[in-house]
Amino acid sequence: MRILAQACGERLVCLAVEKEHVPTMRQTAARLGVPFHPLTPEALPHFLCARTQPALLVSAHNSYLFPREVVAHPPLTLLNFHNAYLPDYHGRNAPTWEIYRGETYGGATWHIIAADVDTGAIAFQKRVPITSDMTALELLMATARTSVRLFRQHIDEILAGMYSRRRITAPGRLYLSREVPNDGWLDPTWSMAKAYAFLRALDYGGLPILPPPKLRLGEEVYEIEDYQIGGCPIGGGICIIPSRARMADQLSSAA
């Protein structure tokens, strides 16, 4: 928002739909001197479709799906940040699936919002390398930093609407928020590389984005809260060691 505030001045308005974002957005808008409007999901389409003059709407880290009437409203240009290198991995939690599937890079993409999720024309994008030990949280933050650099680099083009738009002709698989790799279960028969990728893919540093990975050992079910790579206590070699794990029935009874 700071980049837009510097570039747009009094023409900028801050909107917030998701309740959990309202306090932070309100404080940021007040600090920057930007008008702030908290709107319900039902009120937002009416607010946007009432625009009669050309307007740019910038959406970043936003799970709200804009209705078709908003997307099709002629005065509006809707620009969205997606934390993957489109057209691959559109939908939710792209860093998770990229790490789980062994990709060597993720990405940051600014694209025009279309009626279908993450299928609009690409404006700007850049790849983000995925290192061998990177967690989902680390990749998420790396793509966010890259998105800010891209936005800052192209701010004049964005405000003028003078940039190329590359149409997506074959979008990849759409990932839904409820989907979790292997339904969240660590398979003890996996290779260490696959198991480590699975754990990193679900690792958002404690943020409530995905449930903790589960592991069944005999009749017991555990939720893995933390893990590390180290020497195997039995047989030598290198192992993945759950450094914090709690039995699932203990968790449910404590709740």
Side-chain angles (χ1 to χ4, degrees):
M1 193 192 307
R2 184 173 65 253
I3 301 170
L4 281 169
Q6 293 170 346
C8 298
E10 62 183 15
R11 296 177 295 165
L12 180 65
V13 173
C14 177
L15 308 177
V17 180
E18 297 162 332
K19 290 183 179 179
E20 63 270 25
H21 295 163
V22 168
T24 301
M25 296 289 283
R26 187 191 302 276
Q27 292 174 6
T28 302
R31 187 174 69 253
L32 296 173
V34 173
F36 176 74
H37 297 282
L39 298 168
T40 65
E42 296 76 22
L44 182 62
H46 299 287
F47 179 88
L48 294 176
C49 289
R51 303 306 98 194
T52 58
Q53 299 297 317
L56 169 68
L57 186 148
V58 178
S59 168
H61 285 291
N62 172 38
S63 60
Y64 178 80
L65 298 179
F66 292 91
R68 291 179 181 270
E69 63 266 26
V70 173
V71 174
H73 190 51
L76 297 177
T77 298
L78 287 75
L79 187 66
N80 180 66
F81 160 60
H82 181 63
N83 55 5
Y85 197 82
L86 292 177
D88 298 324
Y89 295 98
H90 66 295
R92 298 294 296 276
N93 302 323
T96 288
W97 294 100
E98 290 164 339
I99 291 174
Y100 179 65
R101 300 197 182 283
E103 303 289 358
T104 56
Y105 67 86
T109 301
W110 286 98
H111 68 97
I112 303 301
I113 295 177
D116 295 321
V117 176
D118 298 330
T119 61
I122 295 170
F124 314 101
Q125 63 182 168
K126 186 176 179 62
R127 292 178 176 175
V128 175
I130 300 176
T131 64
S132 59
D133 294 314
M134 184 174 273
T135 66
L137 177 61
E138 290 169 339
L139 180 54
L140 179 68
M141 297 306 295
T143 60
R145 290 190 295 268
T146 300
S147 77
V148 172
R149 288 194 294 268
L150 275 174
F151 195 85
R152 188 183 300 276
Q153 178 184 350
H154 296 285
I155 183 65
D156 292 338
E157 301 160 68
I158 290 170
L159 294 179
M162 303 293 291
Y163 52 88
S164 60
R165 304 178 184 188
R166 178 164 57 86
R167 182 183 175 190
I168 294 178
T169 56
R173 180 185 182 285
L174 174 65
Y175 291 88
L176 304 178
S177 59
R178 65 175 179 268
E179 293 184 281
V180 183
N182 204 44
D183 292 327
W185 288 93
L186 174 63
D187 188 335
T189 68
W190 281 342
S191 68
M192 190 180 76
K194 185 170 182 178
Y196 187 39
F198 170 82
L199 291 171
R200 291 185 292 112
L202 271 64
D203 186 351
Y204 282 94
L207 294 177
I209 295 177
L210 292 176
K214 296 172 292 185
L215 172 65
R216 185 184 299 277
L217 295 176
E219 298 299 318
E220 308 292 353
V221 173
Y222 296 86
E223 288 188 345
I224 300 172
E225 296 180 303
D226 202 1
Y227 57 94
Q228 61 183 348
I229 299 294
C232 293
I234 300 175
I238 303 297
C239 291
I240 298 172
I241 304 170
S243 53
R244 285 207 314 273
R246 293 196 293 173
M247 293 179 62
D249 59 349
Q250 292 176 344
L251 293 172
S252 58
S253 61

